[in-house]
Amino acid sequence: MLLRSIAGAAVLALVAGVNGAPTFKLRGRDVDFDYNNDKVYGVNLGGWFVLEPWITPSIFEATNNDAIVDEFTLTQALGPDAASSVLTNHWNTWITQDDFTQIAAAGLNHVRIPIGYWAVAPLEGDPYVQGQLPVLDNAIGWARSAGLRVLLDLHGAPGSQNGFDNSGRKGPVDWQQGSTVSQTLTAIANLAERYAGDTDVVTAIELLNEPLGPDINLDELKQFYYDGWGNVRNNNAYTVVTIHDAFEDITSYWNGFMNAQAGVNNVMLDTHIYQIFDQGQVSQSPAQHVAAACGSASQLAGTDKWTIVGEWTGAQTDCAKWLNGLGIGARYDGTMAGSSYVGSCDGKYTGTVAALSDADKQNIRSFTEAQLDAYEAHTGWIWWTWHTESAPEWDMQELIANGLFPQPLSDRQYPGQCG
């Protein structure tokens, strides 16, 4: 069943052999980045085309409406004209060409750009507004000028694939209900077609960000991944197709799936590693956080396909304002219902990197270095996120400016943490 999409789509990955007979190519040499031998050093451009209240709280605070918790409810409450005005200004100012220049100057070679289905395949009745794509077009050009590669990431699917606000709509997980999967495949096809001529920059497309494995049908997800691969292949034979691990084990669950032996080419697995989203994790000591990061290297190295850590952070707390959802507190300081106090969120709830305590600065730098060492065990890493309004543990731009993110990337103040 899972191979049904290959029969038609994989033909496009065929090339004529010397005698005119088709030969299946599984090498990645026609991708404009050597994922076999070069490491991915990247950063996410979070909160740009898919709003997240914790990244840009000012947009949500301006409404004075506590019922607005995501981009869906924001656009619904504002209406199309006001929403378009607010978001057009945001799209044109949150990330600019100068950011791409800074990212490249920091030694990075990739940006991951989240985009919602509503930008490329809007559905009748949705309140979302459009206008993102001309700005995304500009971003591809800025990346080209800066020498950066782009991973386009479908971050939100119809019905929501995880119920998180970062899917566009917080609430129930209704992806896989009704026509939502076919609508998602349409969005992927439209995205792949739009940037089919930009493969010197758009080297990868991620089919879906963080589908919530425990809440969805995983067999249907696997079929979706094959069908999505086929939709990308309809436009380009070698663009890397990135699949998220759905919070399942990257080796025991995903090894053997969509690898070279499965008859598909250029598939990359994306895993997200955070140590802050349960009580046990935020209760760890800084040394335990470092040890956990180092311990991930062997598993990353053991996957049977290209594997990136597509989201990670230097944060050892969940203190950032609204990180867990608008109006929801943190586990770390016990303000989230059902949590217990670990420590103070002073300076980390909102603030600047410069104003962090010396201990927080040391912990972020040490933890970041350990993760850099561990996550290079396979294909590389992409930090979350480049820029925030007021979340100092997460803001790469500010962390670099304040000496807490290594520059150059190989610089180590805490060498040998991973042995």
Side-chain angles (χ1 to χ4, degrees):
M1 172 184 168
L2 291 176
L3 295 178
R4 70 169 185 252
S5 64
I6 293 183
V11 175
L12 292 171
L14 302 176
V15 294
V18 252
N19 299 317
T23 304
F24 203 87
K25 295 183 67 176
L26 295 174
R27 297 188 301 274
R29 64 183 180 84
D30 293 295
V31 177
D32 201 21
F33 185 85
D34 188 353
Y35 289 99
N36 288 317
N37 298 301
D38 296 332
K39 298 298 182 186
V40 172
Y41 302 139
V43 66
N44 285 275
L45 303 183
W48 192 10
F49 298 121
V50 180
L51 292 182
E52 299 190 33
W54 74 273
I55 296 178
T56 54
S58 67
I59 291 176
F60 292 83
E61 289 168 334
T63 68
N64 292 311
N65 184 344
D66 292 340
I68 296 175
V69 295
D70 51 27
E71 187 161 339
F72 185 95
T73 51
L74 179 81
T75 52
Q76 187 178 55
L78 292 181
D81 292 341
S84 182
S85 176
V86 168
L87 289 177
T88 298
N89 177 68
H90 170 70
W91 298 329
N92 286 319
T93 58
W94 183 245
I95 299 289
T96 67
Q97 184 168 11
D98 183 58
D99 291 292
F100 283 78
T101 302
Q102 290 182 48
I103 289 165
L108 306 183
N109 53 35
H110 278 68
V111 290
R112 180 173 179 257
I113 303 181
I115 192 82
Y117 76 87
W118 54 90
V120 288
L123 299 177
E124 186 177 354
D126 276 355
Y128 298 113
V129 296
Q130 286 69 52
Q132 305 92 328
L133 291 181
V135 186
L136 181 57
D137 294 344
N138 289 339
I140 303 306
W142 298 337
R144 180 177 288 113
S145 296
L148 295 168
R149 302 297 184 267
V150 172
L151 189 165
L152 292 177
D153 154 44
L154 193 69
H155 216 70
S160 180
Q161 72 277 17
N162 52 35
F164 306 154
D165 58 17
N166 59 46
S167 72
R169 187 171 192 178
K170 183 178 180 180
V173 179
D174 286 336
W175 187 68
Q176 295 183 334
Q177 305 301 311
S179 301
T180 54
V181 172
S182 63
Q183 291 162 348
T184 309
L185 289 167
T186 298
I188 291 165
N190 292 350
L191 198 61
E193 181 179 8
R194 187 178 186 92
Y195 297 106
D198 296 295
T199 53
D200 59 316
V201 177
V202 181
T203 54
I205 293 176
E206 185 153 2
L207 300 181
L208 189 59
N209 177 69
E210 295 186 349
L212 191 58
D215 285 15
I216 62 173
N217 184 311
L218 288 171
D219 287 337
E220 291 182 12
L221 175 68
K222 289 177 177 179
Q223 181 61 56
F224 164 76
Y225 280 163
Y226 270 112
D227 293 341
W229 178 88
N231 280 7
V232 175
R233 288 289 166 267
N234 286 337
N235 291 279
N236 187 275
Y238 300 106
T239 297
V240 174
V241 175
T242 306
I243 61 173
H244 185 265
D245 65 13
F247 306 102
E248 301 295 332
D249 190 275
I250 61 174
T251 52
S252 65
Y253 191 85
W254 290 107
N255 275 356
F257 178 76
M258 293 189 84
N259 56 10
Q261 290 71 37
V264 295
N265 68 322
N266 293 355
V267 172
M268 178 183 291
L269 184 65
D270 175 21
T271 188
H272 298 169
I273 301 180
Y274 294 117
Q275 295 187 35
I276 55 173
F277 290 118
D278 69 47
Q279 188 67 42
Q281 290 179 326
V282 295
S283 300
Q284 293 182 123
S285 69
Q288 288 173 319
H289 281 292
V290 167
C294 293
S296 66
S298 59
Q299 190 178 35
L300 290 166
T303 59
D304 65 356
K305 57 187 70 67
W306 295 326
T307 301
I308 56 167
V309 180
E311 293 186 20
W312 61 286
T313 175
Q316 296 183 3
T317 79
D318 63 338
C319 286
K321 179 180 179 178
W322 298 344
L323 178 65
N324 295 304
L326 196 149
I328 297 175
R331 298 168 186 84
Y332 190 76
D333 67 356
T335 55
M336 175 187 278
S339 65
S340 54
Y341 182 87
V342 177
S344 171
C345 283
D346 288 352
K348 298 184 283 291
Y349 178 70
T350 61
T352 64
V353 172
L356 287 170
S357 71
D358 289 343
D360 284 336
K361 290 177 180 178
Q362 177 181 320
N363 291 337
I364 290 172
R365 174 76 191 217
S366 169
F367 187 36
T368 297
E369 289 185 12
Q371 291 180 93
L372 290 174
D373 292 341
Y375 302 162
E376 290 179 22
H378 203 156
T379 311
W381 49 263
I382 305 179
W383 170 281
W384 188 280
T385 183
W386 173 244
H387 181 48
T388 72
E389 286 183 347
S390 58
E393 295 175 287
W394 297 78
D395 193 311
M396 179 188 267
Q397 186 178 39
E398 265 209 55
L399 291 166
I400 289 173
N402 285 272
L404 300 190
F405 198 100
Q407 291 289 284
L409 298 174
S410 58
D411 182 57
R412 295 292 180 268
Q413 295 178 6
Y414 304 93
Q417 292 185 102
C418 291

